[in-house]
Amino acid sequence: SYELTQPPSVSVSPGQTASITCSGDKLGNNYVCWYQQKPGQSPVLVIYQDSMRPSGIPERFSGSNSGNTASLTISGTQPVDEADYYCQTWDNSTVFGGGTRLTVL
Amino acid sequence: QLQLQESAPGLVKPSETLSLTCTVSGGSISDNTYNWGYIRQPPGKGLEWIGGIFYSGTSVYNPSLRSRVTMSVDTSKNQFSLKVRSVTAADTAVYYCARQMWLRFLDVWGKGTTVTVSS
């Protein structure tokens, strides 16, 4: 079965740029999306189709996908962005990455 | 706006069948742009897609759960349902329902419901 690998944790200082990676075999051949999940809340879609932002998602969230790696970038990270982030793709089944805990400190 | 609401018993005994229903409001489940999915999250762990179903009744399941899972849709009630058979403690999780764009991204989620498997 297809697997997506994310780093367990990423730390960033407020105002700096955070980058979260998601790796999978030939991942660039498939669309990737990203979800933000805060404690006790449902996931929220922040990026779809590699780099598209849903309505209401701040412009500081961006995404890319090429080769074997997709990335979620948060520019000018704010304390409110502290959350778990999950990448997701489709390969005969919807597949999630293991999640990355983003700490803003 | 579109809302999804899960309903399920909070406690299920081992070896029994877990049944969940998701009610869609503010939109039609018969919109063929989307399918409807279930996702679960064990305590302290990541997300796992269980499966998705189209309003026609066509369903697709996670291969790791396919042997124990059945989804169905009731367009007259704007609901879709999930059954997980022969549950064990490993099926304890928060269960979410969500709208999915043709088995790709999940853009509207329910609040989730906690299901515990225990005797």
Side-chain angles (χ1 to χ4, degrees):
Chain A
S1 62
Y2 196 80
E3 292 187 0
L4 294 174
T5 301
Q6 299 181 235
S9 63
V10 168
S11 296
V12 63
S13 299
Q16 299 303 302
T17 297
S19 182
I20 300 173
T21 59
C22 175
S23 300
D25 186 46
K26 300 184 177 70
L27 185 57
N29 291 345
N30 299 322
Y31 278 133
V32 170
C33 59
W34 292 87
Y35 303 89
Q36 176 194 69
Q37 186 180 33
K38 296 181 179 180
Q41 298 184 18
S42 305
V44 173
L45 181 70
V46 294
I47 294 288
Y48 67 98
Q49 287 182 195
D50 294 342
S51 60
M52 304 295 290
R53 272 182 294 105
S55 174
I57 300 302
E59 290 184 8
R60 64 179 181 273
F61 287 87
S62 63
S64 65
N65 182 23
S66 180
N68 295 322
T69 305
S71 296
L72 172 69
T73 301
I74 309 173
S75 304
T77 307
Q78 300 181 7
V80 70
D81 299 327
E82 187 163 284
D84 293 329
Y85 290 86
Y86 294 90
C87 60
Q88 179 242 299
T89 191
W90 166 263
D91 183 78
N92 295 315
S93 178
T94 296
V95 179
F96 288 100
T100 298
R101 173 73 49 91
L102 177 67
T103 302
V104 182
L105 43 67
Chain B
Q1 81 263 24
L2 190 79
Q3 293 185 324
L4 289 80
Q5 178 68 57
E6 305 89 349
S7 60
L11 184 64
V12 181
K13 289 182 168 53
S15 80
E16 295 189 343
T17 297
L18 183 165
S19 297
L20 295 92
T21 297
C22 183
T23 300
V24 179
S25 59
S28 174
I29 201 169
S30 300
D31 186 339
N32 63 7
T33 308
Y34 303 99
N35 66 280
W36 306 90
Y38 279 102
I39 306 93
R40 69 181 184 180
Q41 186 170 35
K45 295 188 177 181
L47 301 169
E48 180 180 37
W49 184 77
I50 300 171
I53 189 165
F54 292 86
Y55 80 94
S56 63
T58 300
S59 55
V60 182
Y61 302 125
N62 185 325
S64 69
L65 295 168
R66 184 179 293 139
S67 64
R68 297 195 294 128
V69 168
T70 302
M71 293 180 66
S72 60
V73 62
D74 186 338
T75 55
S76 67
K77 295 182 179 179
N78 234 28
Q79 294 177 335
F80 60 106
S81 299
L82 170 72
K83 292 186 186 299
V84 182
R85 296 177 292 277
S86 303
V87 297
T88 69
D91 294 306
T92 292
V94 176
Y95 285 75
Y96 297 98
C97 61
R99 187 178 75 172
Q100 188 170 15
M101 169 73 82
W102 273 89
L103 299 170
R104 298 321 192 243
F105 54 88
L106 300 133
D107 64 343
V108 182
W109 294 64
K111 294 187 187 305
T113 186
T114 299
V115 177
T116 301
V117 178
S118 175
S119 56

